[in-house]
Amino acid sequence: MTWEGWTQIAIFAAVVAALVKPLGFYIERVLAGEGTWVQRRLGPIEGAVYRLAGVDPAREQAWPAYATSLLVFNLAGILLLYAILRLQARLPLNPEALPAVAPDLALNTAISFATNTSWQAYGGETTLSYLSQMAGIAVQSFLSCAVGIAVAITLVRGFARCSVPTIGNFWVDITRITLYILLPVSIPVALFLAWQGVPQTFAAHATVTTLDGATQILARGPVASQDVIKLLSGDGGGFFNANSAHPFENPNAVTGIVEMLLIFLVGAALTNTFGRMVRDERQGWVLFAAMAALFTIGLATLYGAESAGNPAFAGLGVDQVAGAAQSGGNLEGKEVRFGVGQSSLFAAVTTASSDGAVNAMHDSFTPLGGLALLANMMLDEVIVGGPGSGLFGMLLFALVAVFIAGLMVGRTPEYLGKKITANEVKMTMLALLSVPAAILGGAAVASVVPAGLAGLGNAGPHGFSEILYAFTSAAATNGSAFAGLSVNTPFYNLGLALAMFIGRFMVVVPVLCIAGTLAAKRSVPASAGTLPTTGAQFAGLLVGVIVIVGGLTFLPALVLGPVAEHVALIAGSRY
Amino acid sequence: MLDLLMLGLLAAVFAVAFRYVHACVAVTTPEGQEHVP
């Protein structure tokens, strides 16, 4: 580890922490419909959207209607994206004359982006037209992000409201989030990225002659406008196959820091929005502290493992110590522009959030580094998580924590003045078990059937890690790829699409159900027996519950993959 | 033909999702709101 690496991490952490409060305040005002500066100027557009869609913004929905609207909206989005991908050869903005995307890949991609996963079984520059990237991928990045934030906000409303049968209006929520939160950030940051060297053009790929006289094709396109929303939305789908390791998507260390901030910003700020909406900001800071603690553990493990280098190289006497001549550590698969420090930070950020953008190849990380990445995603992406999905994931674990605490003292659990009863606990379990079922079930099937094994790039525990990572990334709606696994096959395209579907909708529906049942309840005043949920004790309980539940669920699979590989690597075995 | 198969699969999983909403409504019973005082 180097002081430069820790300095970058410290700057990143300080900026995130500083922006949580003002952005959380802004999001709360936007979602409450209070007049912000942006709302006053874009208000006519919001009104026009409602008139065009026939939406009455004053009419709220009960949770089943809200969930049905969400499913219908996502089904329409998937169908639209599927149609664009299948018809792209006949549509405009296709200067490379790319053919239609294959049916199984188109379905996988459509579900991937509508579920805010951005799993990519294709290389963007060689598969998608500019229209598919802009009207297909980027649009779904905006909308799937808005859906995630909307679901989180309904759950917060469930805690904040008393004896109310409704949880909000889905159409109003996604309109306001898109119009007043995502677009105002995206436009100036896209201009910043273009200034830093990210292309924004409709021109075809450039053919250039290199200094050696060879001919090289430089892929380009409307990258900057998509780059910003891929990060801000927690979607992570790169314009290019190499994602943020490509110099046209992430030109330098400054854009690297900005991109990581974009990934974390909304998810972190929502903890403050939550605190404000339940009229006790300390509640939000407790969740933020739990996220920060888990993130620090994962990052320290990852950065430590990557800085220590490859034990196999150490056995050969290769110098991997940082010094004047080299940055040291395990540099395989990493961009020298970013080094081990920023690559480790980016990888921790992208897996702790549900983003999935990468600036280094995760398959090349050390086994312990890969373990940290897997663990970040397996903890249901509650460490900031995706915009919205991180907050509602953390709130689900908060319900488990108060439930366990209630069992220990023989009291009905309470959280934020609401009695937590059988209905909420059943729905919480349903939501929290859906993702592990998709991960472990999918990885188990893929590990034994010939179609699953055919895609492996490595044997032994590393091969198992590649399969496990793919299903973890899909079901946790992360979308980052471990690589090393050939996934553009009907088996993986359909299997991972199912995992993404389960990981998104089988979680979101119970969350909306909890929001509905909580909103309908009356609030009870705190008593001497109420578990305090604003201090370090509750933050510790929450972290403990997350780690124990995650460990009990995934430890056997992790032992078969990265842990076994680490032990084997020390013993001299390679795969 | 493959398009029809893909759209059929999509329709099937969304049918399950819509049914899932109804199932969640069904299991959130009034009894489930009761608690030990």
Side-chain angles (χ1 to χ4, degrees):
Chain A
M1 292 188 256
T2 61
W3 70 267
E4 291 95 338
W6 282 113
T7 303
Q8 288 187 69
I9 292 167
I11 291 171
F12 170 76
V15 176
V16 169
L19 289 173
V20 162
K21 195 166 172 140
L23 189 58
F25 170 66
Y26 175 74
I27 294 173
E28 188 234 349
R29 292 196 67 190
V30 163
L31 291 165
E34 294 169 13
T36 62
W37 182 87
V38 178
Q39 274 178 302
R40 283 193 292 275
R41 271 139 193 89
L42 299 180
I45 299 175
E46 182 187 354
V49 169
Y50 297 150
R51 281 192 296 279
L52 198 66
V55 173
D56 177 4
R59 188 176 174 186
E60 292 212 339
Q61 297 168 304
W63 87 261
Y66 200 103
T68 305
S69 301
L70 184 151
L71 289 174
V72 168
F73 182 70
N74 278 284
L75 175 59
I78 291 170
L79 288 173
L80 177 66
L81 181 49
Y82 183 86
I84 291 173
L85 297 175
R86 292 291 294 139
L87 298 171
Q88 72 172 10
R90 302 176 193 178
L91 296 172
L93 294 176
N94 186 8
E96 301 303 317
L98 294 167
V101 179
D104 57 319
L105 179 59
L107 183 67
N108 177 287
T109 306
I111 290 179
S112 170
F113 282 87
T115 56
N116 199 242
T117 308
S118 77
W119 174 264
Q120 295 174 290
Y122 62 88
E125 64 269 49
T126 55
T127 311
L128 300 187
S129 70
Y130 295 167
L131 186 81
S132 295
Q133 296 272 25
M134 295 180 78
I137 301 299
V139 167
Q140 287 305 317
S141 296
F142 273 100
L143 298 177
S144 62
C145 174
V147 168
I149 297 174
V151 172
I153 292 302
T154 60
L155 185 56
V156 180
R157 285 186 188 130
F159 287 111
R161 293 180 172 186
C162 296
S163 307
V164 176
T166 58
I167 56 172
N169 184 311
F170 173 76
W171 309 107
V172 172
D173 286 342
I174 59 165
T175 304
R176 286 182 179 159
I177 292 164
T178 306
L179 206 53
Y180 302 135
I181 299 172
L182 302 179
L183 277 172
V185 177
S186 297
I187 293 169
V189 179
L191 291 172
F192 167 79
L193 291 174
W195 168 46
Q196 289 295 303
V198 178
Q200 182 70 22
T201 176
F202 286 138
H205 297 173
T207 303
V208 298
T209 304
T210 67
L211 292 174
D212 293 337
T215 300
Q216 184 179 353
I217 296 173
L218 292 179
R220 54 184 179 175
V223 186
S225 56
Q226 187 171 321
D227 208 11
V228 60
I229 193 59
K230 99 175 180 194
L231 302 154
L232 185 65
S233 68
D235 218 336
F239 192 96
F240 302 110
N241 195 27
N243 209 298
S244 283
H246 194 296
F248 283 176
E249 278 201 58
N250 190 7
N252 52 55
V254 175
T255 57
I257 291 281
V258 170
E259 294 196 359
M260 287 185 280
L261 288 171
L262 284 172
I263 293 173
F264 256 21
L265 217 49
V266 177
L270 279 170
T271 58
N272 187 262
T273 305
F274 158 71
R276 290 174 184 278
M277 288 178 70
V278 297
R279 301 189 184 287
D280 186 355
E281 277 190 65
R282 292 174 303 169
Q283 301 285 354
W285 287 118
V286 165
L287 300 191
F288 183 75
M291 290 175 177
L294 289 165
F295 179 72
T296 305
I297 295 168
L299 177 61
T301 306
L302 178 57
Y303 191 22
E306 295 309 302
S307 299
N310 189 330
F313 285 173
L316 295 171
V318 176
D319 181 15
Q320 298 180 86
V321 179
Q326 59 157 329
S327 61
N330 173 32
L331 264 176
E332 182 192 320
K334 295 181 179 66
E335 267 284 346
V336 289
R337 289 177 295 143
F338 308 126
V340 171
Q342 195 173 113
S343 298
S344 299
L345 179 60
F346 201 110
V349 166
T350 200
T351 49
S353 71
S354 80
D355 194 68
V358 294
N359 80 342
M361 292 304 106
H362 292 182
D363 195 35
S364 297
F365 278 50
T366 60
L368 288 183
L371 170 72
L373 302 178
L374 278 164
N376 275 348
M377 295 187 286
M378 286 171 169
L379 296 181
D380 236 6
E381 299 207 325
V382 295
I383 313 168
V384 175
S389 61
L391 177 62
F392 67 65
M394 187 57 97
L395 286 172
L396 290 176
F397 275 110
L399 292 180
V400 176
V402 296
F403 176 65
I404 291 171
L407 285 179
M408 287 193 282
V409 296
R411 284 180 57 89
T412 303
E414 292 171 32
Y415 187 50
L416 302 169
K418 296 293 177 84
K419 295 279 187 189
I420 306 304
T421 52
N423 285 343
E424 289 81 38
V425 175
K426 275 189 281 189
M427 289 299 123
T428 301
M429 289 300 110
L430 207 51
L432 290 181
L433 291 175
S434 296
V435 174
I439 294 172
L440 298 176
V445 171
S447 299
V448 292
V449 300
L453 296 170
L456 279 178
N458 297 85
H462 194 76
F464 178 72
S465 294
E466 289 169 354
I467 293 175
L468 183 64
Y469 194 102
F471 280 93
T472 304
S473 179
T477 69
N478 183 275
S480 66
F482 204 48
L485 184 67
S486 300
V487 288
N488 189 10
T489 63
F491 174 81
Y492 278 112
N493 278 334
L494 298 180
L496 293 171
L498 183 62
M500 291 185 268
F501 190 90
I502 293 171
R504 180 69 162 185
F505 298 116
M506 300 297 118
V507 175
V508 160
V509 171
V511 168
L512 291 172
C513 181
I514 295 168
T517 59
L518 287 176
K521 289 183 179 183
R522 62 188 173 84
S523 189
V524 292
S527 66
T530 303
L531 176 73
T533 55
T534 53
Q537 181 196 38
F538 185 69
L541 176 66
L542 190 53
V543 170
V545 166
I546 293 167
V547 171
I548 290 168
V549 170
L552 289 173
T553 310
F554 292 109
L555 199 57
L558 291 172
V559 167
L560 289 173
V563 174
E565 188 186 357
H566 178 70
V567 174
L569 189 62
I570 292 171
S573 300
R574 285 179 275 290
Y575 302 96
Chain B
M1 193 63 188
L2 276 175
D3 283 317
L4 284 177
L5 178 63
M6 294 304 135
L7 294 175
L9 289 172
L10 185 63
V13 291
F14 265 96
V16 172
F18 284 113
R19 185 71 191 86
Y20 191 54
V21 175
H22 290 289
C24 288
V25 172
V27 298
T28 46
T29 59
E31 292 77 28
Q33 298 291 18
E34 292 173 3
H35 55 82
V36 181

